[in-house]
Amino acid sequence: MRGGASVLDFQHRTSGKGVLFTDADNAWGDGTPGNNQTAAVDAAYGAAKTWDFYKDVLHRNGIKNDGRAPVSRVHYGKAYQNAFWDDRSFTISYGDGAGDQHPLTQLDVAGHEFSHGVTSATANLQYSGESGGLNEATSDIFGTAVEWNANNAQDKGDYLLGEKIDLFGNGKPLRYQDRPSKDGRGSADYWSAGVGNLDVHYSSGVANHFFYLLSEGSGAKDINGVHYDSPTVDGSTVTGIGRDKAVQIWYKALTAYFTSTTDYHGAREGTLKAATDLYGAGSAEVRAVDAAWAGVNVKA
Ligand code: ASN
Ligand code: ZN
């Protein structure tokens, strides 16, 4: 597999080494959580598609740009309702969710966790305050981008995170990029002075919303059967430049301009510089970046 990727069975433990998945007939899993291999093959798929996204779209050769893939660990913990990246062990771990019936091995979750490694290897955004929100949003932005790039008919591209894992048991996604407050859990749609006090998964809303506005623009839109309606703080209209350009701008800003202490106003500066590098001073892209940040209340 790409970069020597492998998948370990953690057998519902939270420590130890796990056991490498092997298979006699090379038919892996059956798409249901009851089959022990299903989460493994889904994790392997996520790792491969994420690897390909970074290589083909962003010309990055793995998390550290050194060709080495992380290890994926599935069946982590008992009914563990999360997934996480660990820098030290260079691993992505996936729980099996409620009742061990909802493994978190969805493609955009794989892209999200892998991207925590990329952030750590580049801007190294501190995981608290506004920089923490930017760290989380970076993982959501690239998680979404991985899903779109994979172009899988069973999991069409969207601006939702974790819409297939049913983490909350109500069929709802974890997060919404067009209007983050749709989660009903306190995600921020707009920047305000106290936004950095929120949990990083909620302060990320500001940058997720920026990314949606920059990609698709404000207002109502249906894409691949999903309805979106993205507002701006002051009712201004934002015209999107398309997801592909928005992704390139975010990646350039992350790798060239963001630092461990970048906050939302710093992110505005960094993305404006990135858009200028990529598309030229005064370009429509630079103006769209400015307008999208203004739409989420991040202004000069
Ligand atoms: N799944 C979560 C995340 O990647 C785990 C955490 O809270 N760090 O953000
Ligand atoms: Zn995260």
Side-chain angles (χ1 to χ4, degrees), residues 15 19 21 45 47 61 93 108 123 140 147 149 152 164 194 207 214 245 255 272 278 295:
S15 62
V19 178
F21 269 95
Y45 176 78
N61 191 18
S93 299
D108 60 8
D140 281 351
E147 185 182 296
N149 192 59
N152 183 323
K164 286 195 171 292
L214 183 62
K245 286 179 178 172
T255 52
L272 284 168
L278 292 169

Side-chain angles (χ1 to χ4, degrees), residues 68 73 75 105 108 131 133 196 198 223 253 269 288:
R68 181 163 77 105
R73 317 191 310 183
H75 305 306
T105 47
D108 60 8
S131 61
L198 296 175
I223 314 169
E269 296 294 325

Side-chain angles (χ1 to χ4, degrees), residues 211-299:
F211 173 72
Y212 180 89
L213 286 170
L214 183 62
S215 299
E216 302 291 343
S218 55
K221 200 166 188 176
D222 291 281
I223 314 169
N224 286 344
V226 179
H227 184 70
Y228 301 98
D229 197 354
S230 196
T232 55
V233 69
D234 52 4
S236 59
T237 299
V238 176
T239 304
I241 59 171
R243 189 181 48 259
D244 292 349
K245 286 179 178 172
V247 165
Q248 295 296 337
I249 290 168
W250 194 265
Y251 182 71
K252 175 92 189 180
L254 178 77
T255 52
Y257 297 116
F258 292 179
T259 68
S260 60
T261 57
T262 295
D263 62 8
Y264 272 117
H265 288 81
R268 177 180 174 277
E269 296 294 325
T271 50
L272 284 168
K273 280 189 202 154
T276 302
D277 294 346
L278 292 169
Y279 305 107
S283 59
E285 290 83 356
V286 170
R287 282 181 280 121
V289 167
D290 194 31
W293 279 121
V296 298
N297 204 31
V298 181
K299 296 171 186 174

